[in-house]
Amino acid sequence: MKKITFILLFALSALSVSAQETKFGFTGGFLNAEVEISADNQGSISESDSGFYVGALADIDLNGSLHLQPEVLYGNINDASVLFIPVLLKYYISESNFNIMAGPQATIDLEEGDEGYNELGIDASFGVGYDITDNFFIDARYSLELTNRIGDVQGIPEDYKGKINTLQIGVGYKF
């Protein structure tokens, strides 16, 4: 965990030096997570629940309409803590305040899981945003988990897959 944090901070520092303009800020809002467990020939079951997220971000202007936005977010659902680390590429549409975003996201479960449960997940995130002013913004994004949270556990068939997909709707402020 310390290595991941160090690498992320180093990458953020290197990118902010070469970028035209970097703004830092914070964000928070509504979080919905859907846990889905499936097996190849047996269908799937899913359950969802809601909570909140808060965190910090860096908005790195690469060329005016293209921005890089790494974030570190803390999420809480039913007293379960999760750390989200997205690195999003944002594209502003036709010099407007609207943007579309997409990129990878690491999702780290901060609770101690059962044997065979993978605490780290890799997601594909995508969404939309709108800058209300130069400082205030709103955004919504959906993240599809690409990894399997169910590891090798004796007694559980190999074709079982566990995924956690998330929806985030929030507001933020950039300095």
Side-chain angles (χ1 to χ4, degrees):
M1 179 67 181
K2 290 179 183 179
K3 289 180 184 178
I4 292 172
T5 305
F6 177 74
I7 291 169
L8 222 141
L9 290 174
F10 179 76
L12 286 175
S13 299
L15 285 170
S16 64
V17 169
S18 65
Q20 292 179 355
E21 180 183 348
T22 301
K23 291 184 177 182
F24 296 94
F26 58 89
T27 184
F30 171 78
L31 171 64
N32 181 273
E34 177 189 35
V35 177
E36 180 180 3
I37 298 176
S38 63
D40 288 341
N41 294 322
Q42 299 178 16
S44 66
I45 58 170
S46 65
E47 183 177 315
S48 67
D49 214 338
S50 300
F52 70 92
Y53 73 94
V54 294
L57 63 92
D59 186 331
I60 304 164
D61 185 348
L62 299 176
N63 72 0
S65 62
L66 195 60
H67 291 227
L68 185 66
Q69 185 168 301
E71 301 175 352
V72 177
L73 308 172
Y74 168 81
N76 187 286
I77 297 177
N78 280 346
D79 296 325
S81 300
V82 180
L83 189 65
F84 300 100
I85 306 172
V87 179
L88 303 169
L89 196 59
K90 290 184 359 179
Y91 177 74
Y92 281 86
I93 302 168
S94 299
E95 297 182 24
S96 71
N97 291 342
F98 286 99
N99 64 73
I100 56 175
M101 62 186 87
Q105 173 176 279
T107 305
I108 303 166
D109 192 342
L110 300 175
E111 306 296 320
E112 189 166 324
D114 295 331
E115 179 187 345
Y117 175 75
N118 298 324
E119 282 92 11
L120 174 65
I122 303 298
D123 309 341
S125 281
F126 55 91
V128 296
Y130 180 76
D131 292 352
I132 299 168
T133 67
D134 285 343
N135 301 98
F136 285 101
F137 67 91
I138 58 174
D139 65 8
R141 72 181 74 136
Y142 191 77
S143 299
L144 291 166
E145 185 154 40
L146 303 174
T147 53
N148 183 6
R149 292 293 181 120
I150 300 174
D152 294 330
V153 179
Q154 188 174 3
I156 296 180
E158 289 181 15
D159 66 338
Y160 274 58
K161 294 179 179 44
K163 297 185 182 288
I164 303 171
N165 300 323
T166 57
L167 170 69
Q168 298 171 341
I169 302 172
V171 298
Y173 184 83
K174 294 182 273 190
F175 301 100

